[in-house]
Structure formats: C-alpha cells, structure tokens
Amino acid sequence: MRGAVLYGPRDVRFEERETPKVIKPTDAIIRISATCVCGSDLWPYRGIQPVAQPTPMGHEYCGIVEEVGSAVKSVKPGQFVIGSFFASDNTCPICQIGYQSSCQHAEFVGTAQAPVLRVPLADGTLVPTPEVPSQDLIPNLLTLSDVMGTGWFAADAANVKPGSTAAVVGDGAVGLLAVLSAKQMGAERIIVMSRHESRQKLAREFGATDIVTERGDEGVERIKQLTNGIGADSVLECVGTQQSIMQAIQSTCRGGYVGYVGVPHGVELNGEQLFFAHVHLHGGPAPVRRYLPELIKLVWDRKINPGKVFDMTLPLDQVAQAYRAMDERRAIKTLLRP
Ligand SMILES: [Zn+2]
Ligand SMILES: [Zn+2]
C-alpha cells in the first residue's frame, strides 16, 4: 500500500509502506474510509518539532474492520468503527476514571494517512457505529477521532454549564468545535477570538455570539468589556502558545475554569501570575475514548455537524497538497479519501 511519510520540513511524500497486519492478538486491522491532516501535524511539518527519520503520519481515522486478532471480542469484521489517536485498554484504573489518553498501556496511533491501519488494543479503543453509516455522515464521524473529542474535552474541562459564558481562544478546527461543544453544553454567551472571516462565519454557525479580533492584552481587555469587567466563566484554550495560554488565564473570571487542549510549545507559566489568577486549570491530551459513545449518538441522530470544519477534500494520494493548504491557512482542515 501507499501512505504519507514525513521526511522533514515541508516534505511529505506519498510512498510505498508495508501493509499493516495483525501483530498482537488484541489488534484490529481497519480499511480507512476517511482520514485527515491535523493542526498538530503542522508542528513537525513546519520543522518546529524536529523529525529524526522518515515518519509515517496520521492519527485521525474511521473505517471498516477487516480483520481482528484472536483475543478481540467487542469488534468484528464488517463493522464501521472510530477510535482515538491513543489506543487504550479501557480497563486499567486510569481508563476507569476516564483518562484513556493516559491509559497505563496507551499506544499512539500514528500511521492513519494510509488505506489500511493497525489499531492496537482494539476492544478498548474502537467504538462501532450502530450500522455502516451513509457517506454524508463520514466527515462528522471522522472528527470524533480527535478534533471534536478534543473540543468537547476543552468545554468539559472548562466546566461549561447551561447559561454560562464561555470564551474560546483559537479558531482552528479544535477551537471551532470547542464553540460547538460549548453551545451543546448550554453556554448562553460564546465569545470566540478569531481574525479570519471564513472561520468567524463558521464559529457563528456553531453558536458563537461574539467575535474578538484583538490578541494579547487587548484581547483580554475586550473579553473583560464583554463580561461586566470580570472575565468569562469558562475559557477554552485551543492553541498552545505562550500568548494564547496567558490570554486564556487572564480572560477567566476569579473562580472560573480554563480548559486547555492546545499542545503547548515553549509555554512557561509564572507562579505568581498563576497564584493571583484564582482559576481552575484542567487540560491535556483529550480522553476522546470517554466521549465516543455520546458523540457518536449526537452525530447519528443528526444533532451536530462537526464535519463542517472540513472545507477541503482531496484523494489520499494528494496528501502533500493537503498539508500545504493547511500550512498556508487556505484550508481549516483537509479530509483525505483513500
Ligand atoms: Zn489530531
Ligand atoms: Zn487503560
């Protein structure tokens, strides 16, 4: 088979790779229906995160089970399944408290930009849909593998409650789906920080009530103006830079919550600022597996349309173009079809 391999900065190739096979009895092999490029794939693509050797890429996936190992009991060939970017057993003490992305046996699933994928710990990782979905549901279901689950975790970690005010830092796919999640959880007012017109439009469609275009201290000031001078109850941080995390902490009202899901790059927190901010901080790699059953139901019942974040679709063999379009911000998120 052929799949995506990152060689170095801005050098993604679509080339021959070994077709995955069952290695352990707990594995499943799935035929990918759709995969995509993630904002986090752009860190190594841009050379911000070094690439030591040619690395297969892709961690967002859904598809049809082709084969399972002898120990797999809960999924079977022919089922359509979705899994998280971290495989998890879903039985260890950490999984039981709902943090499957920190499972004691977690394994990163990182070779999904390909037609066939091996998923370890299949019973704990994969969740089947009620039936094989119609084509129009596939982009929605694909987002559950990461970006929708991550936006949902941001809202959950930031304690979004009915009637509350939420602010979202970041207008990438995760930020936009954090808006959708906050709306779904009942936030009355949703402020999104965005400077891009097409993204503002989608944010409004997902439920944003106010747009803030300022950044840094000015952005914080603007959020305070919109919230009676005290800041938002919940702030959802979906970027991961020093500026965005500080902006999130300072935009939160005393006693409020910051949910942070942007992978931090070079972030350092000042103890004193943190001490006097008086906020709850909760975040990390989203335990997507915890939310899969609930989110699959919302998509299946056509209550949410997170797949709208895909504003470009390409055949998998044009994966290099998909990276370029996202790097140049011509696309919010690119769906790839094998
Ligand atoms: Zn991702
Ligand atoms: Zn576990």
Side-chain angles (χ1 to χ4, degrees):
M1 71 166 193
R2 290 199 301 157
V5 181
L6 181 66
Y7 274 76
R10 296 186 166 79
D11 183 6
V12 175
R13 302 181 199 173
F14 188 67
E15 62 174 30
E16 202 54 38
R17 275 167 35 186
E18 208 178 322
T19 304
K21 294 188 295 278
V22 169
I23 299 172
K24 291 185 190 163
T26 45
D27 289 348
I29 300 298
I30 70 173
R31 167 112 359 224
I32 297 286
S33 301
T35 179
C36 52
V37 180
C38 182
S40 67
D41 294 334
L42 296 181
W43 293 106
Y45 180 79
R46 288 171 173 160
I48 297 166
Q49 197 176 296
V51 184
Q53 73 257 346
T55 307
M57 295 295 287
H59 59 264
E60 304 183 25
Y61 58 94
C62 59
I64 304 274
V65 178
E66 261 193 355
E67 195 190 339
V68 294
S70 57
V72 175
K73 300 209 162 48
S74 68
V75 292
K76 47 180 189 288
Q79 280 183 319
F80 186 94
V81 290
I82 304 155
S84 157
F85 47 91
F86 272 116
S88 55
D89 56 20
N90 211 26
T91 53
C92 78
I94 306 294
C95 284
Q96 283 182 6
I97 54 175
Y99 286 82
Q100 288 89 341
S101 42
S102 280
C103 170
Q104 290 176 330
H105 303 105
E107 272 185 62
F108 188 65
V109 181
T111 62
Q113 287 161 6
V116 183
L117 175 69
R118 182 179 78 93
V119 181
L121 303 168
D123 275 338
T125 306
L126 297 172
V127 180
T129 52
E131 291 164 42
V132 172
S134 56
Q135 281 298 318
D136 63 316
L137 281 180
I138 287 179
N140 288 333
L141 292 168
L142 175 60
T143 64
L144 309 187
S145 180
D146 180 0
V147 280
M148 180 62 211
T150 297
W152 192 264
F153 178 52
D156 191 12
N159 195 42
V160 174
K161 292 276 181 275
S164 67
T165 295
V168 177
V169 182
D171 64 359
V174 171
L176 293 166
L177 293 174
V179 170
L180 185 155
S181 301
K183 174 74 180 171
Q184 194 66 28
M185 292 180 192
E188 195 175 285
R189 190 138 190 225
I190 302 169
I191 305 163
V192 65
M193 309 193 85
S194 169
R195 288 181 162 177
H196 300 84
E197 212 172 312
S198 60
R199 295 169 189 233
Q200 293 171 358
K201 194 165 158 267
L202 191 51
R204 285 205 189 272
E205 223 179 293
F206 283 155
T209 53
D210 300 86
I211 310 276
V212 167
T213 54
E214 294 88 347
R215 284 188 192 165
D217 291 343
E218 281 172 47
V220 171
E221 216 29 64
R222 189 77 195 104
I223 286 181
K224 291 216 166 139
Q225 282 168 8
L226 292 167
T227 52
N228 300 323
I230 60 168
D233 303 316
S234 301
V235 180
L236 291 58
E237 194 285 320
C238 308
V239 181
T241 61
Q242 180 73 27
Q243 188 188 48
S244 66
I245 193 105
M246 287 320 295
Q247 205 166 287
I249 291 170
Q250 288 163 353
S251 304
T252 308
C253 76
R254 297 294 187 270
Y257 292 75
V258 179
Y260 57 97
V261 297
V263 182
H265 284 79
V267 174
E268 280 181 29
L269 296 181
N270 173 302
E272 209 170 310
Q273 266 177 328
L274 202 54
F275 186 75
F276 288 104
H278 250 157
V279 297
H280 300 75
L281 292 177
H282 184 195
V288 166
R289 174 64 184 80
R290 189 202 317 171
Y291 303 123
L292 275 174
E294 186 180 0
L295 294 178
I296 288 174
K297 186 161 178 7
L298 285 171
V299 165
W300 205 260
D301 296 342
R302 298 181 186 269
K303 299 251 169 69
I304 55 171
N305 275 306
K308 283 187 178 168
V309 293
F310 294 111
D311 54 352
M312 182 182 270
T313 298
L314 291 173
L316 181 61
D317 60 6
Q318 289 178 33
V319 62
Q321 272 91 303
Y323 275 80
R324 207 173 309 139
M326 283 177 61
D327 179 37
E328 294 166 2
R329 294 183 73 101
R330 282 184 285 116
I332 300 172
K333 196 167 177 70
T334 310
L335 185 140
L336 296 162
R337 290 205 182 258

